[in-house]
Amino acid sequence: MTKTIHIIGGGLAGSEAAWQLAEAGLTVRLSEMRGGGNTTPAHETDALAEMVCSNSFRSDDAENNAVGLLHQEMRRMGSLVMREADRHRVPAGSALAVDREGFAGGVTAALEAHPNIAIVRDRVDALPDHPCIIATGPLTGSALAEAIAAETGKNALAFVDAIAPIVHGDSIDMSIAWKAARWGKGGDDYINCPLTRDQYETFVAALNDGEKTPFKDWEKDTPYFEGCMPIEVMAERGPETLRFGPLKGVGLDDPRTGRWPHACVQLRQDNAQGTLWNMVGFQTKLRHGEQVRIFRTIPGLENAEFARLGGIHRNSFIRSPELLDRELRLKSRPNVRFAGQITGCEGYVESAAIGLIAARFAAAEARGHSLSAPPNTTALGALLGHITGDANPETFQPMNVNFGLMPPLPERFRKAERKKAYTDRARAAFTEWLGRTGQVEAAAA
């Protein structure tokens, strides 16, 4: 085939997409802005698929962990990223950690050697009119970012992650918390966790004393906006600030007392299935261990399990659930697909996975065929579904793959067995999808 797909961005998502398309017989032009003297504030080399924040792909446990399950699914689809990660693995227990330089070198060499791939060291500043996949990641160049904003609307492209923690709904103690909206408006839209005066003052003191994560050098000019102020910064402004902000208890009648609580933490439903709940106003720079420790002092969240912890850092991502169709095409310009972190998936593995499925969609379209999406009971399908419509566009923030993105299990399992039940269901569904769609299974290879 002579059809050429243009990929913009040589990170993990763009590299994986290029490999998948080339292996499918299409020609690929891979544009990477680094090289020839150009770089970014976060990168150190010109290598493709350079990892700049961590050398870990996280858990490789496909029996009990959603990201480990995603590893397995990607291997079965012939992922270059997973192949090179396995080749450059270093000891890390049950986690998949890699030699960063060896990994990036292996990916770069594989792409450079492929006869269907042309790697071009150039910067793209406008949305192309030809078939393309934009995989420019969190440091999208300013000119291209402006072009995306002009096409999608200024409010549809974010430059700062203001990430609040997300809690698995079934880990919230509903004998303490209750569902209601403020002043009775909106039905049972929120889960409310009440705090007494003593509990509130202890919580504020813990926020003030908790260890925070510093900004990276290239993030230090990231401004705080009032709409995404870290909760600990609000706490520093005065002991009552939170009680008159995101923790106000007015208009919320505690069914146990019939009165308003002194303060109240609210959680808002974050996905269509109602399995994930967002802690409203809890964006934070607290270290992850501190978040778990401090947030579990909130009544009703003593045993909370977190699908995602909070953070604030520089990023660029689009409001994908509103802008993209189910095949990752920009609705207003279908020749353009998006992949990787710019779609609002979080993490190296997730970015590569979305690059993989974006390429599979593009390859099918180039042949005049259509490809059904993986079922949302699989790790890849759940992640894809989250960024293409299942998440609430108004509160959409980057997300790692987790079991909370999948539909609830049809029956109840003990906690120790629940994760295994998710992965068993996912593997069966993924095998059926592979066979039905004719996708190549490459696990043995």
Side-chain angles (χ1 to χ4, degrees):
M1 298 180 66
T2 58
K3 187 92 171 182
T4 298
I5 307 294
H6 187 187
I7 296 175
I8 305 170
L12 272 72
S15 296
E16 184 66 61
W19 179 259
Q20 294 290 327
L21 287 165
E23 287 289 277
L26 286 88
T27 57
V28 177
R29 176 188 173 93
L30 175 57
S31 291
E32 168 53 49
M33 66 180 290
R34 289 175 297 124
N38 295 319
T39 187
T40 76
H43 289 87
E44 298 174 353
T45 74
D46 293 343
L48 302 174
E50 179 187 342
M51 295 191 294
V52 298
C53 297
S54 168
N55 69 342
S56 178
F57 280 58
R58 313 197 312 279
S59 175
D60 201 33
D61 180 1
E63 293 284 320
N64 300 288
N65 191 286
V67 73
L69 178 64
L70 186 59
H71 291 175
Q72 185 180 75
E73 293 176 357
M74 292 171 68
R75 289 183 179 112
R76 295 181 68 179
M77 296 183 73
S79 166
L80 173 66
V81 163
M82 293 309 304
R83 187 190 82 181
E84 293 303 318
D86 289 335
R87 285 180 174 176
H88 297 280
R89 188 172 193 146
V90 296
S94 62
L96 174 56
V98 304
D99 178 303
R100 289 193 304 157
E101 291 185 8
F103 167 79
V107 172
T108 302
L111 296 177
E112 287 178 339
H114 204 295
N116 289 347
I117 299 174
I119 300 171
V120 183
R121 300 289 181 165
D122 64 350
R123 193 180 73 188
V124 178
D125 291 336
L127 293 177
D129 293 326
H130 49 262
C132 70
I133 297 175
I134 296 177
T136 45
L139 295 178
T140 298
S142 58
L144 181 58
E146 289 172 5
I148 295 170
E151 178 67 29
T152 61
K154 293 289 185 182
N155 294 331
L157 179 66
F159 292 97
V160 178
D161 274 356
I163 302 174
I166 289 180
V167 178
H168 289 280
D170 59 7
S171 70
I172 301 171
D173 186 350
M174 296 305 294
S175 69
I176 296 174
W178 78 98
K179 287 186 176 182
R182 201 178 305 279
W183 306 111
K185 298 178 180 178
D188 296 341
D189 290 352
Y190 294 85
I191 291 177
N192 302 284
C193 298
L195 292 89
T196 65
R197 179 187 294 272
D198 287 346
Q199 289 168 335
Y200 172 76
E201 291 176 351
T202 299
F203 177 71
V204 171
L207 287 178
N208 287 330
D209 294 339
E211 188 177 2
K212 284 80 174 178
T213 301
F215 278 119
K216 299 177 179 64
D217 288 341
W218 48 272
E219 295 180 311
K220 288 180 178 178
D221 60 348
T222 302
Y224 285 147
F225 300 102
E226 291 299 317
C228 64
M229 187 71 64
I231 191 169
E232 64 274 8
V233 173
M234 286 187 278
E236 291 171 355
R237 291 181 169 182
E240 295 292 286
T241 302
L242 288 174
R243 202 165 74 85
F244 289 93
L247 270 68
K248 58 180 179 287
V250 297
L252 294 168
D253 296 324
D254 187 336
R256 295 178 304 167
T257 65
R259 304 179 61 182
W260 297 347
H262 182 76
C264 191
V265 173
Q266 288 196 301
L267 296 95
R268 178 177 52 228
Q269 185 172 325
D270 199 71
N271 67 340
Q273 294 93 342
T275 56
L276 300 176
W277 291 78
N278 184 299
M279 297 179 69
V280 178
F282 268 63
Q283 51 274 357
T284 178
K285 288 292 284 182
L286 285 168
R287 291 191 179 276
H288 283 181
E290 291 287 78
Q291 291 183 47
V292 174
R293 178 182 68 82
I294 294 170
F295 296 160
R296 282 181 176 167
T297 67
I298 297 169
L301 301 184
E302 293 89 346
N303 298 306
E305 296 179 17
F306 295 91
R308 180 188 73 192
L309 289 164
I312 293 182
H313 57 88
R314 181 178 167 184
N315 200 351
S316 300
F317 64 97
I318 60 173
R319 194 181 290 175
S320 295
E322 181 180 274
L323 299 174
L324 303 183
D325 68 13
R326 291 292 184 171
E327 295 187 15
L328 296 162
R329 291 175 296 209
L330 189 60
K331 292 176 182 177
S332 64
R333 194 183 287 211
N335 67 291
V336 177
R337 279 184 166 86
F338 283 85
Q341 237 175 304
I342 196 169
T343 66
C345 62
E346 183 79 8
Y348 290 124
V349 180
E350 290 86 343
S351 295
I354 295 302
L356 186 158
I357 194 64
R360 293 293 181 102
F361 284 136
E365 184 176 61
R367 294 190 180 101
H369 302 155
S370 62
L371 172 65
S372 63
N376 63 357
T377 52
T378 66
L380 180 56
L383 182 64
L384 175 67
H386 179 74
I387 64 177
T388 59
D390 291 348
N392 182 348
E394 297 302 317
T395 60
F396 181 66
Q397 289 286 344
M399 173 73 80
N400 292 114
V401 68
N402 64 83
F403 292 125
L405 299 181
M406 299 178 180
L409 294 164
E411 56 184 291
R412 295 188 67 83
F413 289 84
R414 288 182 299 179
K415 182 178 179 180
E417 300 172 345
R418 192 165 63 237
K419 293 177 180 178
K420 178 67 162 51
Y422 273 114
T423 57
D424 285 346
R425 182 181 68 173
R427 278 195 291 271
F430 197 76
T431 297
E432 190 277 333
W433 176 76
L434 283 176
R436 174 168 47 83
T437 58
Q439 301 297 296
V440 176
E441 183 166 0

